[in-house]
Amino acid sequence: MGGDKPRPTLKTIAQLTGLAVPTVSRALSNATDIGKETRERVQRVAKEIGYVPDRAGVRLRTGRTHVIALALWTEADVLNLTARLINSIATALRHTSYHLNIMPCMSDEDIMLPIRHIVETRAADAIIMNQIRPEDPRVSYLMERGFPFATHGRTTWSKDHAFYDYDNHAFAQSAVELMLSRGRSNLALLAPPADQSYSMEMIKGFSAAATAAGATFEVIKNLTSDDHNSKIVDYFREFRGPDPRFDGLVFGSANACMAAAAGLEQGGYTLGKDVDVTTKEAIPFLGQFRPAILTYAEDAWAAGDFLARAAIKRIEQPDEAPMQFLEQPVAHPAPNRS
């Protein structure tokens, strides 16, 4: 006689461990009221026998999908941040009962479309979002409906919701001070799109620090750090002109800085000699590309781990204070001028 082996169930694990089915269920969900040793034993047995939760059954019993959705803008800077952020969130969820679904957000569609779909269909228990605006309609919508979420970036309502953010105001301020310490006095910033919260913070920090120092400065117009590489290369290839205007450049992303460096060199500049350039980066590679580029670390791994935990807390402890963190910029050692 043949046939498939019966699918392992919670009852199977309970029989093998001598525990009650509710205890097994809570141990598999990493419930903190179950001892660590018991949780590890239950999870080990579940893995050994190939137990896979019946998601439909779990949803019927609990009303939860055990899915966290990452609503991610497709134009995000993959080289600098996005890939590591996804990996970090997925890793943070690996030993929990939650799974990650990535929902790409297209630049030519309604910003609310994927968010409404998730909420109205209950496709996930929480949402993690990036590219945050000061009065982001997605955040307003989710707060009004009491739907769990966490943001990579801050809004004007940040005191009331979970977020992880990089202090772009402090980054830009420090970048100006770094340029001044290297004898630069004519500064320019290529910022992210102006409607993004982190862009506004970056511009404020840059402008305030340059003004306080009495330096000549400008926020580059009609170009952003999110623009296509070829557009950035072309702009900085023609940057020199008959009379160079700037000797210190700050960039809103590593990708934009790399493209600008290529354009500057094609236009006859020597990095670190004719002009200093600086940016933040999540993956330390710019120093290998061009040692003269000055960089600040941005910890995308910590951001993803934090956002995953913050989303879970909003699901499981909605009445507790939301998790919030503002990362401070750390400059990598500056190379000596040759």
Side-chain angles (χ1 to χ4, degrees), residues 190 223 228-241 249 251 254-271 274-275 277 289-290 293:
L190 181 61
L223 188 71
H228 194 277
N229 280 3
S230 60
K231 187 175 180 181
I232 297 174
V233 170
D234 290 344
Y235 180 89
F236 285 97
R237 183 190 297 116
E238 306 301 326
F239 198 63
R240 177 179 285 275
L249 301 171
F251 293 91
N255 196 43
C257 184
M258 185 168 63
L264 288 166
E265 290 178 343
Q266 290 174 26
Y269 274 91
T270 299
L271 300 182
D274 301 318
V275 61
V277 299
F289 168 68
R290 290 293 183 274
I293 295 177

Side-chain angles (χ1 to χ4, degrees), residues 280-308:
K280 53 181 180 165
E281 59 177 357
I283 302 172
F285 71 94
L286 282 175
Q288 300 175 33
F289 168 68
R290 290 293 183 274
I293 295 177
L294 310 170
T295 59
Y296 288 76
E298 181 174 11
D299 196 342
W301 191 268
D305 179 80
F306 186 95
L307 289 167

Side-chain angles (χ1 to χ4, degrees), residues 44-58:
R44 183 174 62 253
V45 170
K47 184 176 181 180
E48 289 172 354
I49 67 174
Y51 170 75
V52 178
D54 181 349
R55 293 292 165 190
V58 170

